[in-house]
Amino acid sequence: MKRILITFALISCYIQLFAGGSIEGGGSNRGSYLSSGGFIILPHDIQVEAYLSERDYNYPPPTAEAVSITTGTGSKDGFQYLLLGLKGKKEPFNDVPPLNISFCIDRSGSMSGVMPWVKDSFYIFIDSIRNGDVVSLVDMNSVAQVLVPPTKINSKRDREHFKRQVDKIQANGSTDVYSGIKKSYEQIQEYNGKGYISRVIIMTDGMHNFGAMINKDIVELAQKKSDEGVNISTILLGIQTGTGLMTDVAIQGGGSSRFVSNHDEMVRIFNTELDRLLVPVVRNMEITLELADGVKLDDTWGYQHSTNGSTIQYKLPTLHNGDYETVLARVKVDKTLHDNEIGTFNIVYSDLFGQTKKTGPHRLLLPPHDNDMIQDIRVREVEGIVAYTDTLRNIAEKAQKINALEHSLFQYQKSSPQYDDIVEQIKVESSQCRFLIKTVRDYLTKIEDSLGRESYQRYYDVLESYEDSFLKLDEAYP
């Protein structure tokens, strides 16, 4: 029976560890982190949008406008892929309007292991803020408190005061995320709407487990404040991160979400990507994809979207300084198209100065039939990511089935017919998982060879970790 228990820990234990998941929070960075510890990522934790948003696919930077628009199409296995790439203008940090930032630090007990990262990152943050920017500091566990009220930064002395307050933070207690972000929003109000860019930054593991408010209340608060011009960015830390809640908060709150797996990565974000967390160059972007007659939507990925017949509408609350986003649709063409046009993209947004901008229609033309490899290199790379995430979901579903099968083994005597039948089913599922791993790895390698560069190394690491897990499973049932 010991051999079964080891296998049960290998497969079922890592499924039980996670009960939630979602833009970079549910992407390959977190996936690599979890798989390196022997965990299988749950199906609902695999967010295709998060994987797509992790790279810019060499989208050209904008010249005159706040955002550049790149389109592409490709054909694969009877489907057409429609791509829209966005690249925000990169304004020099010193040229953007003054900032009004409330920094909220989760100091609950579950943050004890990562609190040194949080403190080091805040030191970088406060030293990077310009004179004239406004900063406030809140921390929270089961209660929220203001450590430093809104302060216009004017000197080294101001910065040292913030650092001393952060030094005093000790991790303990439960987590009331609602009270923390509510208190930060309150600090923002004094300078909001007075020419400042207002933003809440919360650093947390997202494990909201205290207080009267539920997750829905937190997301609704973030959306309400976004409508008032105050966005929120979430920085997620640790293996138990509640990515689903905090990613939803960032999306509905018009901000960005980052999952951080180690101290060095945290330092890099605050050293090099601070403006990508804080400074919007585009707000309230609405993208309309109008499909031609005879074109049917199969699936689409691209943040908040709704479908009404042949019209798909996407909403992107904020595009940050120098940031990039990708919208992808997979469609089926059922009849001959007029002028080979599959559809059009039209885009409306507000720039940094509140001016309404419109662009489009951007025509999407039927690509040539691709026998083996999609011709458009961006669409080719993106379709590889979709194939990879589909495989991860298939593997996760099979791992869950293995989990259930292993539970049922305890009902039977070893070497009984029922026991042997269940073991055989486990071995079949494990073998199929290893086949899926090999198939998608070979496919991604083929795409990389065609691109002439490495593009999926992090994915290979995850697949290798998965393969090791299933090989150990096979060894447990000789």
Side-chain angles (χ1 to χ4, degrees), residues 43-89:
H44 63 257
D45 240 355
I46 301 162
Q47 304 298 320
V48 181
E49 288 88 348
Y51 284 83
L52 296 180
S53 70
E54 290 175 338
R55 56 188 80 186
D56 69 358
Y57 311 99
N58 294 314
Y59 296 142
T63 52
E65 300 297 336
V67 60
S68 67
I69 310 297
T70 301
T71 61
T73 59
S75 175
K76 179 72 177 175
D77 297 332
F79 291 101
Q80 313 300 320
Y81 288 85
L82 316 179
L83 177 142
L84 175 69
L86 308 169
K87 183 69 176 280
K89 188 175 182 180

Side-chain angles (χ1 to χ4, degrees), residues 23 49 53 251 301-305 314-316 325-327:
I23 252 170
E49 288 88 348
S53 70
I251 293 172
W301 305 273
Y303 310 98
Q304 304 171 65
H305 59 265
Y314 307 84
K315 291 187 177 181
L316 183 64
E325 302 290 354
T326 297
V327 172

Side-chain angles (χ1 to χ4, degrees), residues 224-462:
K224 177 176 181 291
K225 292 301 180 181
S226 179
D227 293 341
E228 296 172 5
V230 184
N231 301 131
I232 182 169
S233 290
T234 62
I235 300 176
L236 315 175
L237 308 110
I239 195 168
Q240 294 278 17
T241 296
T243 58
L245 169 61
M246 299 316 297
T247 301
D248 289 346
V249 166
I251 293 172
Q252 299 298 329
S256 59
S257 173
R258 298 283 187 276
F259 171 77
V260 181
S261 61
N262 59 65
H263 174 274
D264 290 346
E265 185 179 6
M266 177 81 93
V267 169
R268 179 189 62 79
I269 289 172
F270 277 83
N271 265 326
T272 65
E273 297 187 12
L274 190 59
D275 52 348
R276 284 185 61 201
L277 288 171
L278 302 179
V279 181
V281 292
V282 166
R283 292 185 186 274
N284 302 320
M285 177 176 281
E286 295 186 0
I287 303 165
T288 302
L289 170 59
E290 192 71 45
L291 298 177
D293 183 38
V295 179
K296 295 182 179 179
L297 180 69
D298 177 70
D299 207 343
T300 187
W301 305 273
Y303 310 98
Q304 304 171 65
H305 59 265
S306 59
T307 302
N308 182 13
S310 61
T311 302
I312 304 96
Q313 291 189 311
Y314 307 84
K315 291 187 177 181
L316 183 64
T318 309
L319 181 65
H320 291 85
N321 201 32
D323 214 347
Y324 40 83
E325 302 290 354
T326 297
V327 172
L328 184 69
R330 184 169 60 202
V331 302
K332 192 85 170 178
V333 178
D334 290 337
K335 69 179 190 179
T336 303
L337 300 174
H338 177 67
D339 290 337
N340 278 341
E341 186 177 284
I342 303 176
T344 58
F345 276 119
N346 285 277
I347 302 169
V348 180
Y349 63 90
S350 298
D351 66 14
L352 183 61
F353 306 101
Q355 299 294 314
T356 299
K357 304 286 185 177
K358 297 182 180 181
T359 176
H362 300 274
R363 298 180 69 210
L364 299 160
L365 300 181
L366 186 69
H369 180 69
D370 300 321
N371 293 321
D372 189 39
M373 197 70 66
I374 293 174
Q375 292 188 16
D376 185 295
I377 60 173
R378 292 188 180 96
V379 181
R380 188 189 314 162
E381 185 175 0
V382 168
E383 190 275 331
I385 295 172
V386 173
Y388 170 73
T389 54
D390 283 347
T391 299
L392 292 189
R393 282 205 185 96
N394 288 338
I395 291 173
E397 289 166 0
K398 289 183 174 297
Q400 288 176 313
K401 185 174 180 180
I402 291 171
N403 182 0
L405 288 168
E406 290 198 303
H407 274 291
S408 67
L409 274 178
F410 290 96
Q411 303 175 46
Y412 305 107
Q413 288 287 336
K414 191 173 181 180
S415 298
S416 68
Q418 297 93 336
Y419 182 98
D420 290 343
D421 179 62
I422 293 171
V423 167
E424 189 60 33
Q425 291 181 58
I426 291 172
K427 292 165 74 172
V428 167
E429 295 296 333
S430 177
S431 175
Q432 290 176 354
C433 286
R434 287 188 287 107
F435 176 77
L436 289 171
I437 291 167
K438 180 182 185 306
T439 300
V440 76
R441 183 167 51 207
D442 290 347
Y443 182 55
L444 296 180
T445 301
K446 192 172 183 179
I447 294 176
E448 277 193 339
D449 290 344
S450 73
L451 296 173
R453 56 180 165 81
E454 291 186 356
S455 189
Y456 304 118
Q457 185 55 54
R458 186 176 286 175
Y459 301 173
Y460 298 146
D461 294 341
V462 171

Side-chain angles (χ1 to χ4, degrees), residues 125-229:
F125 164 79
I126 201 66
D127 284 337
S128 301
I129 290 297
R130 305 160 301 180
N131 286 350
D133 290 331
V134 174
V135 181
S136 55
L137 178 62
V138 170
D139 74 357
M140 57 91 179
N141 50 16
S142 57
V143 295
Q145 60 182 349
V146 179
L147 300 182
V148 185
T151 303
K152 190 172 288 188
I153 303 296
N154 285 313
S155 65
K156 181 178 180 181
R157 182 177 181 180
D158 293 334
R159 293 176 171 84
E160 291 300 321
H161 177 59
F162 275 93
K163 291 178 183 179
R164 286 194 297 271
Q165 296 306 308
V166 169
D167 281 341
K168 297 176 184 177
I169 296 176
Q170 300 294 321
N172 60 77
S174 302
T175 312
D176 186 350
V177 172
Y178 185 91
S179 70
I181 65 173
K182 182 175 183 290
K183 188 71 73 174
S184 272
Y185 282 130
E186 290 170 357
Q187 308 315 302
I188 289 290
Q189 293 309 308
E190 182 178 350
Y191 288 89
N192 188 37
K194 299 179 180 179
Y196 287 80
I197 295 174
S198 296
R199 178 65 56 105
V200 170
I201 301 177
I202 181 170
M203 303 181 74
T204 178
D205 59 9
M207 304 301 288
H208 176 66
N209 56 22
F210 190 87
M213 299 301 184
I214 62 176
N215 289 6
K216 178 174 175 285
D217 299 314
I218 300 171
V219 175
E220 288 179 350
L221 176 62
Q223 185 170 19
K224 177 176 181 291
K225 292 301 180 181
S226 179
D227 293 341
E228 296 172 5

